[in-house]
């Protein structure tokens, strides 16, 4: 049987999956272990090797290739990792070290790219635009990461990593002049305006009270907290403005919103109306959809990197 192997490397967990095909019910085996990232880079390599050994032993299959989704990205020129919030990975030749340790070919992509690939090919986009030419997937949670999926004339979908490995990194476009400093070294990034922590920080600044985002949204809907309403307005208006940057360039067949902020219903009802104000068109027709694969998108997308 043909199998496809994927690893989702997170800061706390590393998860592996073996798929037999491109549907969510084609899972042959799935397993997760602690990353133990605090023990450093070489330990992380060993944890991945341990996981792959378990996958082999439990199923009797061997990987032809292995896809891996990571925080940050592999710099295509330097062949080292960059932009990882698991900071011990930065500057390290993860691709080379995994190939030599595991003895198999490895495809690396950013975790938001894996999310976008899985939702495009296996998840939400299949319901509305199965013959898509392009999809933009974005995880709006504690950070904001994005990925572009394209389909070539041969019918094969693939992630657009880009010449510098930053394809889809919409979360670090400048959205607010003189805005908050971002960990990336710039100011006023999309991520500093409407990630979950950024919205909570904004609410706290104007109200003096610290609340989680779902409570802020609830208070807005109850209609008696003007600070909550101002925070939700900040999200909707800035989301509308920022998403048209993608639509004016890529004009994708669908946009998929993952992450905790992506759970907010108003993004799907009011978001397109706000975007219509800014888009280079007389209407905003781009479908904005919820993801379907939940926590599985990252690891499924990693396995799909090995599809030929
Ligand atoms: Zn940034």
């Amino acid at each position: 049987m043909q199998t496809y192997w994927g690893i989702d490397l997170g800061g706390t967990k590393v998860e592996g999956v073996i798929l037999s095909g491109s549907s969510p019910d084609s899972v042959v085996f799935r397993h997760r272990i602690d990353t133990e990232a605090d023990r450093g880079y070489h330990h992380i390599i060993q944890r991945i090797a341990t996981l792959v050994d378990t996958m082999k032993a439990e199923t009797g299959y061997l990987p032809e290739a292995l896809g891996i989704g990571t925080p940050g990205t592999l710099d295509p020129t330097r062949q080292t990792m960059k932009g990882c919030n698991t900071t011990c990975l930065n500057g390290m030749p993860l691709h080379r070290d995994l190939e030599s340790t595991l003895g198999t070919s490895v495809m690396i992509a950013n975790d938001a790219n894996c999310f976008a690939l899985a939702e495009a090919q296996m998840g939400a986009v299949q319901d509305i635009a199965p013959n898509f030419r392009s999809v933009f997937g974005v995880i709006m949670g504690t950070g904001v990461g994005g990925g572009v999926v394209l389909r070539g004339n041969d019918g094969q979908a693939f992630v657009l990593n880009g010449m510098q490995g930053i394809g889809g990194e919409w979360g670090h476009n400048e959205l607010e002049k003189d805005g908050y400093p971002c960990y990336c070294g710039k100011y006023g990034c999309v991520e500093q305006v409407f990630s979950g922590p950024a919205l909570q920080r904004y609410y706290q600044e104007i109200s003096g009270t610290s609340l989680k985002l779902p409570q802020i949204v609830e208070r807005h809907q109850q209609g008696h907290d003007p600070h909550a309403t101002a925070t939700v307005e900040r999200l909707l208006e800035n989301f509308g403005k920022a998403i048209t940057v993608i639509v004016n360039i890529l004009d994708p067949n669908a946009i998929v919103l993952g992450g905790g902020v992506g759970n907010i219903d108003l993004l799907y009802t009011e978001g397109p109306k706000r975007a219509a104000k800014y888009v280079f068109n007389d209407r905003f027709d781009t479908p904005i959809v919820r993801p379907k694969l939940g926590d599985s998108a990252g690891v499924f997308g990693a396995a799909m990197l090995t599809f030929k």
Side-chain angles (χ1 to χ4, degrees):
M1 183 173 71
Q2 174 81 51
T3 57
Y4 306 96
W5 294 51
I7 302 280
D8 182 17
L9 175 60
T12 54
K13 297 280 181 188
V14 50
E15 179 164 19
V17 74
I18 303 175
L19 302 179
S20 61
S22 61
S23 78
D25 52 16
S26 67
V27 174
V28 175
F29 183 72
R30 186 171 180 166
H31 188 59
R32 54 161 56 184
I33 60 175
D34 290 335
T35 311
E36 299 173 358
D38 54 324
R39 294 178 63 184
Y41 173 72
H42 294 287
H43 187 72
I44 292 176
I45 300 273
Q46 283 313 312
R47 294 300 285 165
I48 295 170
T50 299
L51 177 61
V52 172
D53 284 344
T54 303
M55 293 161 76
K56 290 177 186 170
E58 292 288 328
T59 64
Y61 292 114
L62 292 173
E64 270 179 40
L66 205 102
I68 177 158
T70 65
T73 188
L74 182 73
D75 186 305
T77 307
R78 295 182 187 138
Q79 287 295 308
T80 53
M81 299 301 291
K82 62 182 177 185
C84 306
N85 53 10
T86 304
T87 51
C88 66
L89 297 173
N90 289 323
M92 303 308 280
L94 181 65
H95 184 252
R96 187 196 73 194
D97 289 346
L98 282 176
E99 286 202 332
S100 65
T101 303
L102 301 173
T104 185
S105 71
V106 169
M107 289 90 167
I108 289 188
N110 169 261
D111 45 18
N113 288 356
C114 292
F115 163 84
L117 182 60
E119 289 293 346
Q121 281 286 72
M122 215 190 251
V125 181
Q126 287 299 304
D127 296 340
I128 54 158
N131 300 314
F132 69 85
R133 292 307 295 257
S134 68
V135 168
F136 185 64
V138 54
I139 302 177
M140 300 178 10
T142 50
V144 176
V148 175
V149 178
L150 302 176
R151 191 198 304 282
N153 288 332
D154 62 356
Q156 187 65 43
F158 60 94
V159 160
L160 184 73
N161 272 320
M163 185 188 81
Q164 302 165 96
I166 58 171
E169 290 294 357
W170 173 70
H172 297 279
N173 283 6
E174 184 187 283
L175 179 56
E176 192 168 62
K177 191 149 177 50
D178 304 319
Y180 269 90
C182 188
Y183 79 90
C184 73
K186 308 296 194 297
Y187 291 83
C189 294
V190 166
E191 180 167 310
Q192 294 302 325
V193 178
F194 58 73
S195 65
L199 291 166
Q200 288 167 192
R201 178 180 62 202
Y202 180 78
Y203 180 80
Q204 181 163 21
E205 278 177 4
I206 59 173
S207 72
T209 309
S210 173
L211 287 180
K212 292 288 181 197
L213 187 58
Q215 297 170 278
I216 297 170
V217 174
E218 199 184 318
R219 290 174 73 89
H220 161 68
Q221 280 160 341
Q222 289 164 350
H224 54 60
D225 181 346
H227 303 305
T229 294
T231 305
V232 171
E233 273 300 308
R234 178 173 167 82
L235 164 65
L236 293 174
E237 195 65 18
N238 282 291
F239 172 78
K241 187 183 282 185
I243 205 68
T244 54
V245 173
I246 301 296
V247 174
N248 283 356
I249 291 171
L250 190 63
D251 200 0
N253 298 94
I255 295 171
V256 190
L257 303 183
V261 179
N263 271 331
I264 296 174
D265 293 336
L266 284 164
L267 285 171
Y268 303 88
T269 53
E270 191 61 26
K273 293 177 196 163
R274 305 302 175 95
K277 288 165 49 182
Y278 300 102
V279 75
F280 181 57
N281 200 5
D282 59 3
R283 61 194 188 281
F284 186 85
D285 281 348
T286 313
I288 298 181
V289 297
R290 294 173 184 280
K292 265 182 82 173
L293 300 172
D295 286 348
S296 303
V299 75
F300 286 177
M304 295 174 84
L305 296 172
T306 70
F307 284 16
K308 292 190 196 72

